[in-house]
Amino acid sequence: MGEGEAKAEQAAKADHKNAPSASSTPESYSKDSEGGGGGGGGDALRAICGAVFTILVLLGIIALILWLVYRPHKPRLTVVGAAIYDLNFTTPPLISTSVQFSVMARNPNRRVSIRYDKLSMYVTYRDQIITPPLPLPPLRMGHKSTVVIAPVLGGDGIPVSPEVANGLKSDEANGAVMMRVVVLGRLRWKAGATKTGRYGFYATCDVWMRFDRSSNGQVPLLAPSTCKVDV
């Protein structure tokens, strides 16, 4: 073998020793590739989560501002007048009634209207109904508006307990009686094009008034009668 061939063979062996193995090259490339791809995906996910969080915060702030500006207040009810046309007993005991209460309803909201439906009204005495519930028509109240509801309530032959009959006799002797007016139904608030869901509405008004068996018509109220309203 010549000197030139020996040098060529030595150079070839040296190159083979220094070259990376075939098994290590793909593994190293795979690790580098995986690391680079994972970092890009994590950044994208963080960016999406940040955007969603920002949108939710902005929506919460907007909802809070709208609530503070348009937050609806409950209606206010007051009894402003009363009349007794008939209040008589028959056995076993039964009661015949014809009474009228003028209930003033006020919407205290500046920017929100109120709509009522499925309204009814009745009267109780000592927690017993003495007039059948009377259905009322739907009602709409604009901003800062007031309306008076004054139906005649009553019926014939309404069964009651002896406590009611004895109590009314005692109240007649004292010249004063307390009856409770109940108004119930559903309502919803409306601000612009936005409407809330329907809520149950229940108002009770305790009315103190003068009373004697000869009363036939308007009777004076003995105390202001502001109603308790639950929604």
Side-chain angles (χ1 to χ4, degrees), residues 113-126:
S113 61
I114 304 177
R115 302 190 177 196
Y116 303 85
D117 60 18
K118 296 188 180 299
L119 286 172
S120 62
M121 186 172 174
Y122 61 90
V123 178
T124 69
Y125 174 80
R126 297 199 177 187

Side-chain angles (χ1 to χ4, degrees), residues 34-46:
E34 289 176 359
D43 292 341
L45 182 60
R46 282 192 293 271

Side-chain angles (χ1 to χ4, degrees), residues 15-31:
D15 291 341
H16 180 73
K17 181 184 291 186
N18 294 329
S21 64
S23 61
S24 65
T25 301
E27 181 180 355
S28 175
Y29 177 80
S30 176
K31 288 181 179 179

Side-chain angles (χ1 to χ4, degrees), residues 83 85 97-101 121 131-132 134 136 149-155:
Y85 302 112
T97 57
S98 179
V99 296
Q100 184 178 27
F101 293 93
M121 186 172 174
T131 70
L134 177 69
L136 302 175
I149 307 167
V152 176
L153 308 169

